[in-house]
Amino acid sequence: MPSLHIDDIPTAIREIKIKLRAELPDYRDVFQQVEADMRRQIDQLHSAQAAGEHPVPQLDAEDIIQGRISEQQKQRVRQRGCCTIRGVFPQETARQWNQEVGDYLERNNFVERLKHAAEDNYFGDLKASKPQIYGIYWSAPQVEARQHARMTAVQVFLNSLWQSESHGQQHFDPQRVVTYADRTRRRPSNSTSLGLSPHVDGGSIERWLDENFRHVYRAVFSGNWQQYNPFDAEKRTEVRECPSPAVCSMFRTFQGWTALTPQRQHGGTLRLLPVANAMAYILLRALQDDVPEDDLCGAAPGRALSVSESWHPLLLEGISSIPDMEPGDTVFWHCDVIHAVENEHHGEFDSNVMYIAAAPWCEKNAAYLHRQWPAFVEGRSPPDFAADDFEVDFTGRAGEQSLTALGKVQLKG
């Protein structure tokens, strides 16, 4: 897919605001309606927590694999836009992977190499711009986890929560999983200021400026926000991103963490706003009269879309830590769901995860696979990431011989 190139961003923002307000003259009233709905949903989250129920739905991998997830459970995931899934991998397997990743980093003197990392400004406007995310992609455990049959079954389930066809056109194949190679995070206990403040990945200013993104949010921009379906894939696979070395250019139905160590509240874990349609609030907030005409509530190209106290205080009220997870459990959140990482880690053990998302086959993703495959073969950083290329000469790096038949199809297309 072509990138979105904009020469004069402030002018483009001013012009799109004029256009969107002209098409939605009652943008103030519509935003107030959306704001009231957000308040209602966030109050529901607080009520659930007060009743001892976690607002993030929790599923069991075995129930997914055996087809035992009810329609009510599926609808709850669609409403909340996220879920944890217990037992995707055996705990002992995940613990072993954690040890192997640590050995891989140590054997290849990674911490020393990290001092010479390429500049990555993706999180530059977030509170902690240097999270402990390690730019390795091709360790044996990462490759093994991505191509595992149980992970694939979970990803197919998640893809299938989407409306992948409309008007007789299939936007993506939910049954066909592809690999998006991402990094790993290793966060020692008793560390502070290494989290990430609330944000959304996969596009910032593009959500207003790209016509395909505007089509995704057509119900919101037309004032029919009640009809907005975050799981409608129409045009999702055709959106254009501003060129950047740090923005995901693949379509992910869900982003994900796979736990390698226990994940606990106050232990440096993930935080979510479990409201799938919160993007409607973010989009319309930027059109309100108190926002400067050349500003979209701080959105900047090539950066995460930040959700801030100054522009989105209501949304921040609903953010909470995910349920406790054990090694081998996973958490997945819709590609538009607001997420953050706890700033402080007071747990007694490291908080280590692998980033493994759910991505289906579509033309956009197939194009990315063609660029990602040579990076795998040569041990380079994948196309979406800073070109550190740490692993080119790493001992123990996974190669083609590490791929199963399924893994090769998912990685090569």
Side-chain angles (χ1 to χ4, degrees), residues 28-283:
R28 301 177 192 86
D29 294 338
V30 173
F31 175 69
Q32 287 181 355
Q33 295 169 24
V34 172
E35 190 170 39
D37 183 65
M38 286 300 119
R39 166 56 65 196
R40 178 188 62 80
Q41 292 195 65
I42 288 170
D43 286 347
Q44 285 182 344
L45 301 179
H46 293 160
S47 297
Q49 288 171 312
E53 173 197 339
H54 203 288
V56 174
Q58 300 173 66
L59 306 176
D60 282 304
E62 204 57 36
D63 288 340
I64 291 173
I65 291 166
Q66 301 300 330
R68 295 194 295 252
I69 303 297
S70 68
E71 284 304 316
Q72 183 180 11
Q73 287 174 296
K74 292 177 185 177
Q75 198 50 40
R76 188 167 176 77
V77 175
R78 291 189 186 101
Q79 178 193 357
R80 298 287 168 85
C82 56
C83 61
T84 59
I85 303 176
R86 289 182 290 260
V88 176
F89 303 111
Q91 287 191 33
E92 195 46 53
T93 299
R95 290 193 188 97
Q96 181 63 33
W97 283 340
N98 182 54
Q99 181 64 47
E100 289 176 14
V101 170
D103 292 345
Y104 180 68
L105 293 166
E106 189 173 340
R107 182 168 62 243
N108 291 290
N109 200 23
F110 182 79
V111 173
E112 183 61 32
R113 293 178 187 233
L114 197 58
K115 295 174 183 175
H116 310 291
E119 187 66 24
D120 177 355
N121 289 319
Y122 181 63
F123 294 115
D125 58 347
L126 302 183
K127 285 179 188 171
S129 60
K130 298 290 184 185
Q132 287 190 326
I133 299 173
Y134 290 75
I136 63 163
Y137 309 87
W138 311 121
S139 70
Q142 286 169 290
V143 171
E144 188 178 343
R146 291 174 195 139
Q147 68 183 359
H148 201 288
R150 290 177 69 85
M151 174 58 79
T152 299
V154 164
Q155 291 166 324
V156 168
F157 165 77
L158 293 167
N159 291 342
S160 300
L161 294 173
W162 282 68
Q163 180 183 315
S164 58
E165 293 185 36
S166 59
H167 314 298
Q169 179 187 1
Q170 185 179 52
H171 308 299
F172 66 78
D173 184 349
Q175 302 295 318
R176 191 172 166 190
V177 168
V178 297
T179 291
Y180 183 71
D182 206 333
R183 297 162 293 185
T184 185
R185 191 190 71 146
R186 300 180 75 79
R187 194 170 178 200
S189 58
N190 298 313
S191 57
T192 58
S193 300
L194 293 167
L196 291 173
S197 49
H199 67 282
V200 181
D201 296 305
S204 57
I205 61 172
E206 300 96 320
R207 296 175 189 274
W208 293 268
L209 297 179
D210 174 49
E211 62 183 22
N212 291 337
F213 254 128
R214 291 198 301 274
H215 185 88
V216 168
Y217 305 122
R218 59 198 179 280
V220 177
F221 287 131
S222 67
N224 301 308
W225 61 271
Q226 296 94 334
Q227 274 74 58
Y228 168 55
N229 175 12
F231 288 87
D232 177 1
E234 189 171 320
K235 290 291 184 183
R236 280 271 183 185
T237 63
E238 298 172 51
V239 302
R240 297 178 297 159
E241 299 86 12
C242 294
S244 164
V247 171
C248 177
S249 59
M250 229 188 193
F251 167 61
R252 296 176 290 185
T253 54
F254 287 80
Q255 294 173 249
W257 277 17
T258 294
L260 298 180
T261 60
Q263 299 296 308
R264 299 286 187 269
Q265 185 175 5
H266 309 305
T269 195
L270 186 72
R271 307 182 77 227
L272 296 172
L273 174 64
V275 175
N277 66 344
M279 186 56 66
Y281 179 101
I282 295 173
L283 294 170

